[in-house]
Amino acid sequence: MTGWLGRIVALALLLGLAACGPSKFKTYSGPPVTQIVVNKGARQMLLLNGNTLLKAYRIGLGNEPIGHKQFEGDGKTPEGLYYIDRRNPDSRYHLSIGISYPNPQDAALAAALGQSAGSDIFIHGQGPEGRALSQSRRDWTVGCIAVTDAEVEDIYAMVRDGTPILITP
């Protein structure tokens, strides 16, 4: 019984120590982010409260950064008005928040080309794979918007689902 009890106590201590480590989940108590604006040409993402700039980030884009996403696999980041619609706390790119691509117009354009519009467009960090890819090129995603892992932790805390995101050329 003492060996068993000792193992339980040791396991509880280890779990307690693990819980004390740094968390990728931050809290934010500042002004709400009311809009995200992405300027693809400037490789910049702005988090705004009304007309007030809260944060600005340098970004990486899809590996074919020029032009609007037309179909799955084209490597382009979409352009237009979308909304933050989901979160992935277990992303292979550290953390990610989903963008509501494709909208009905995107789906119709892809269908007219005989293609699927695709999906799973996110703002995300790098994670191990992204850190390796970003060493050789700035635009390394398959259509997503990439920031550093530390930056996506802030964005994940600041941005709520339903926030509009305007992505411009």
Side-chain angles (χ1 to χ4, degrees):
M1 178 86 171
T2 304
W4 195 179
L5 183 58
R7 279 183 248 166
I8 290 174
V9 169
L11 180 60
L13 286 172
L14 284 173
L15 290 173
L17 287 174
C20 293
S23 172
K24 63 183 179 179
F25 301 105
K26 296 181 178 179
T27 59
Y28 175 72
S29 59
V33 174
T34 59
Q35 181 178 354
I36 303 168
V37 176
V38 173
N39 180 321
K40 289 172 51 174
R43 301 298 190 285
Q44 186 176 56
M45 180 171 63
L46 309 175
L47 303 187
L48 302 169
N49 172 270
N51 292 325
T52 303
L53 177 64
L54 299 175
K55 289 287 241 179
Y57 299 95
R58 300 279 303 147
I59 59 171
L61 299 169
N63 55 35
E64 295 292 335
I66 306 298
H68 175 60
K69 183 166 196 61
Q70 295 183 4
F71 54 86
E72 185 173 20
D74 67 5
K76 296 182 181 193
T77 301
E79 296 171 359
L81 179 62
Y82 301 93
Y83 297 88
I84 299 303
D85 66 352
R86 62 200 182 281
R87 304 175 170 272
N88 184 356
D90 299 316
S91 171
R92 70 193 241 196
Y93 301 108
H94 193 60
L95 289 171
S96 60
I97 58 175
I99 297 171
S100 63
Y101 175 88
N103 63 28
Q105 296 85 356
D106 298 322
L109 172 64
L113 297 170
Q115 300 280 335
S116 166
S119 61
D120 288 342
I121 301 296
F122 287 87
I123 298 168
H124 61 66
Q126 295 178 316
E129 181 181 339
R131 272 191 296 282
L133 290 170
S134 67
Q135 296 297 316
S136 61
R137 58 183 188 234
R138 175 178 16 184
D139 298 318
W140 56 270
T141 77
V142 294
C144 295
I145 298 164
V147 294
T148 68
D149 289 349
E151 290 169 338
V152 81
E153 290 176 4
D154 291 339
I155 295 163
Y156 197 91
M158 293 174 75
V159 173
R160 297 287 138 239
D161 290 357
T163 302
I165 177 169
L166 178 63
I167 306 171
T168 65

